[in-house]
Amino acid sequence: MTGRILIVDNGATSRIMLKARIAEARYPIATATTAREALAHALHDPPMLVIAAMALPDLDGLSLCRRLHAQPGRALLPVLLMEGTDDAALRLAALEAGASDVLSASSDGAELLARMRAALRRAAAEQDLSRPEDSALPLGLDEDATPFRPSVRIALIAAARDTPGQKAPPPETVPGWRGAFARQLRGDCLLRLGPAEALALASGRQCPEAFVLSPDLSARAEGLRLVAELRARAGARESVLCVSDNGDPENRRSAASALDLGADDLLPAATAADSAEAAVRLHRLIERRHRLQRRRAELAEGLRLATIDPLTGLHNRRYAMPQIARMAEVARQTGSTLAVMALDLDRFKQINDRWGHATGDAVLATVAQRLRDTIRPGDLLARTGGEEFLIALPDSGLTEARALAEQVLRATRVPITGLPGAVPELTVTVSVGLAITPQDPGPDRETRPMAPEVLLDRADRALMRSKTSGRDQIRVFDRSAA
């Protein structure tokens, strides 16, 4: 996106006032007077955020919002709608149409900027985890059209000054929230907490998924401090955090500051007219939280699968190479040694040719499990090719490495049973090539970490000597024989 703020309003006075309000933010500004003009602008010169009047000559703000989000790649575009009547039903309709936020006529410049920054942060967080639509299905990362949202715990807090051990405030201290959310967010668990209780939960594993604060003007600094403290707690960093203005103009100015301290949204007072809007805002944020968590989990699983061999469950070469480089650097810094074994199953092609690839795969999986059972904690085991494996042994000298290699040979020789089809038990062997980082203080001692490619090349050369010498044996890299 270009970094521009697009203001859409056919009133010259209101456009000028909006530009003046956000001038201190130093964003480049573009303007449009009609929805058609705004759609063309967004298509050819996409803005980072749109602020649009609810009433436009050709379309209303709700229709504009829907059409903007229907443009390719604009689904996450933040759209702030301005309505001048303080109509709760209209604000609710705007949120349901996809508006990031709705500002009323009573919103001042500070609130506008705070809501802009909050909308931009939310959009940036989603953009960071978004992916091209055409890449989701092949990777197996596509989401269900109607993902299930589990029940969440919502903590309702009166942010007044408290003391350690103070009991939770009485119901009237959290004006109307419990009843409002009980009606609108059915199935979710509502907790009534004091600030000390909320901070204690936010520091542990039982942190609520959402917090709703009702600041007390008699302790204004305490309420804002609680917002900052909750957001700083490890358990609450991904929790939804909302602040209620309680309908008080002075409290509204204070609550706007909470957005810059980490709050996700400002909720209107829990009156009968506004409770539905508050519930919609909170519900959207909770759904967004679950959506981001799913995407993080999907990306983490994708990264894991990219470094795992699907047949054996071992790490692959892509993962092993940087890990060996890290181990070599640690060895250099600590004055220890690093040993690497290259392993190759002997005459594996004959197994595939005679018994089929299903049997060959079963043999590979069995050998991989035996290798996994043989290595020590902290060792690296990877499948680097068809029938090729690699074991890296940090802080291991030649004696320890050779002893482990002998265990590998013995474990591999055990006959393999239970193979698919009518295949009898098979006995396979493995050849091993062993290389080790320099450990003697001779004149050619290396002062930089050995490149993993060099160490693996040495192990491969030793492996070739093992193969040509009769297989089912260990050979150690010898510089003089290389």
Side-chain angles (χ1 to χ4, degrees):
M1 294 185 180
T2 63
R4 294 178 183 273
I5 304 294
L6 175 61
I7 297 176
V8 189
D9 198 322
N10 69 321
T13 301
S14 54
R15 286 200 308 273
I16 293 172
M17 290 179 63
L18 270 177
K19 290 176 66 174
R21 286 182 176 183
I22 63 178
E24 64 183 83
R26 298 293 188 266
Y27 289 117
I29 296 174
T31 60
T33 58
T34 65
R36 184 182 300 275
E37 185 182 347
L39 290 168
H41 197 297
L43 186 63
H44 300 294
D45 187 18
M48 65 186 302
L49 182 141
V50 175
I51 305 176
M54 194 70 78
L56 295 168
D58 46 354
L59 286 176
D60 58 37
L62 280 64
S63 299
L64 172 61
C65 182
R66 295 189 186 98
R67 294 197 183 186
L68 282 170
H69 289 159
Q71 290 184 342
R74 306 287 182 270
L76 299 178
L77 175 65
V79 179
L80 274 62
L81 295 179
M82 307 288 292
E83 61 93 11
T85 60
D86 284 337
D87 186 329
L90 188 58
R91 291 198 305 271
L92 180 60
L95 293 172
E96 292 174 340
S100 300
D101 212 335
V102 186
L103 286 89
S104 65
S106 58
S107 301
D108 59 15
E111 182 180 352
L112 170 63
L113 290 175
R115 289 186 182 270
M116 281 176 48
R117 289 188 288 265
L120 289 171
R121 285 196 303 271
R122 291 193 296 267
E126 296 223 43
Q127 287 282 3
D128 288 343
L129 293 176
S130 66
R131 56 192 180 272
E133 291 296 327
D134 57 354
S135 69
L137 187 59
L139 290 176
L141 301 179
D142 53 319
E143 295 180 8
D144 295 333
T146 56
F148 169 72
R149 181 176 84 77
S151 174
V152 300
R153 293 174 304 151
I154 303 171
L156 309 178
I157 310 164
R161 185 183 300 275
D162 68 335
T163 56
Q166 179 182 358
K167 294 182 179 180
E172 60 268 22
T173 312
V174 185
W177 286 121
R178 190 175 182 88
F181 290 147
R183 293 189 299 271
Q184 303 290 339
L185 300 175
R186 298 186 179 185
D188 292 329
C189 177
L190 303 177
L191 308 174
R192 186 162 44 87
L193 303 176
E197 293 171 303
L199 289 173
L201 283 180
S203 301
R205 295 183 179 181
Q206 301 300 317
C207 180
E209 289 81 359
F211 294 88
V212 177
L213 273 65
S214 178
D216 185 345
L217 282 179
S218 65
R220 174 180 175 180
E222 294 297 316
L224 294 179
R225 186 177 297 115
L226 180 58
V227 172
E229 289 289 347
L230 282 172
R231 187 53 81 201
R233 294 296 199 273
R237 285 173 189 163
E238 294 187 6
S239 296
V240 172
L241 180 55
C242 294
V243 176
S244 163
D245 62 28
N246 290 341
D248 187 302
E250 177 61 28
N251 202 24
R252 188 169 187 169
R253 285 189 289 272
S254 175
S257 301
L259 290 173
D260 290 326
L261 291 175
D264 293 299
D265 199 0
L266 304 183
L267 303 185
T271 62
D274 293 335
S275 61
E277 177 188 342
V280 166
R281 286 179 178 270
L282 185 56
H283 184 267
R284 288 201 320 173
L285 288 170
I286 292 172
E287 285 194 329
R288 172 180 173 272
R289 176 182 183 272
H290 284 293
R291 185 167 62 250
L292 292 179
Q293 286 179 327
R294 286 196 303 271
R295 288 183 181 174
R296 289 190 184 99
E298 290 164 355
L299 290 173
E301 178 64 8
L303 291 174
R304 188 190 71 83
L305 292 175
T307 62
I308 294 294
D309 169 49
L311 174 62
T312 63
L314 302 180
H315 290 298
N316 59 19
R317 187 180 184 88
R318 177 184 296 174
Y319 177 87
M321 295 301 286
Q323 292 302 311
I324 293 175
R326 179 187 61 80
M327 291 176 176
E329 170 62 19
V330 171
R332 183 192 69 83
Q333 293 179 355
T334 61
S336 59
T337 54
L338 171 65
V340 169
M341 281 190 282
L343 302 89
D344 189 276
L345 267 65
D346 297 327
R347 298 184 176 89
F348 180 71
K349 184 175 184 299
Q350 295 179 9
I351 296 176
N352 278 334
D353 291 344
R354 182 175 181 182
W355 303 107
H357 288 279
T359 298
D361 288 349
V363 168
L364 287 171
T366 301
V367 170
Q369 185 57 53
R370 292 178 179 180
L371 294 176
R372 189 184 286 112
D373 294 339
T374 303
I375 63 173
R376 311 164 305 177
D379 293 342
L380 170 67
L381 172 61
R383 182 187 178 198
T384 55
E387 65 268 26
E388 300 170 1
F389 298 87
L390 176 148
I391 300 177
L393 311 169
D395 196 21
S396 294
L398 182 58
T399 301
E400 296 92 340
R402 185 183 287 275
L404 186 66
E406 293 287 355
Q407 295 180 44
V408 166
L409 293 183
R410 290 193 296 270
T412 308
R413 293 181 188 129
V414 176
I416 301 174
T417 59
L419 294 169
V423 180
E425 67 177 26
L426 295 178
T427 299
V428 298
T429 61
V430 65
S431 298
V432 178
L434 180 60
I436 191 167
T437 54
Q439 57 182 334
D440 58 341
D444 62 343
R445 177 166 180 165
E446 300 177 34
T447 58
R448 291 180 297 178
M450 183 180 293
E453 294 84 359
V454 173
L455 194 55
L456 288 177
D457 179 68
R458 293 180 177 184
D460 285 337
R461 293 189 193 185
L463 174 62
M464 290 304 297
R465 288 182 57 213
S466 176
K467 288 283 192 181
T468 58
S469 300
R471 299 181 175 86
D472 189 23
Q473 58 185 287
I474 303 162
R475 285 291 182 265
V476 180
F477 174 79
D478 184 351
R479 189 188 299 269
S480 62

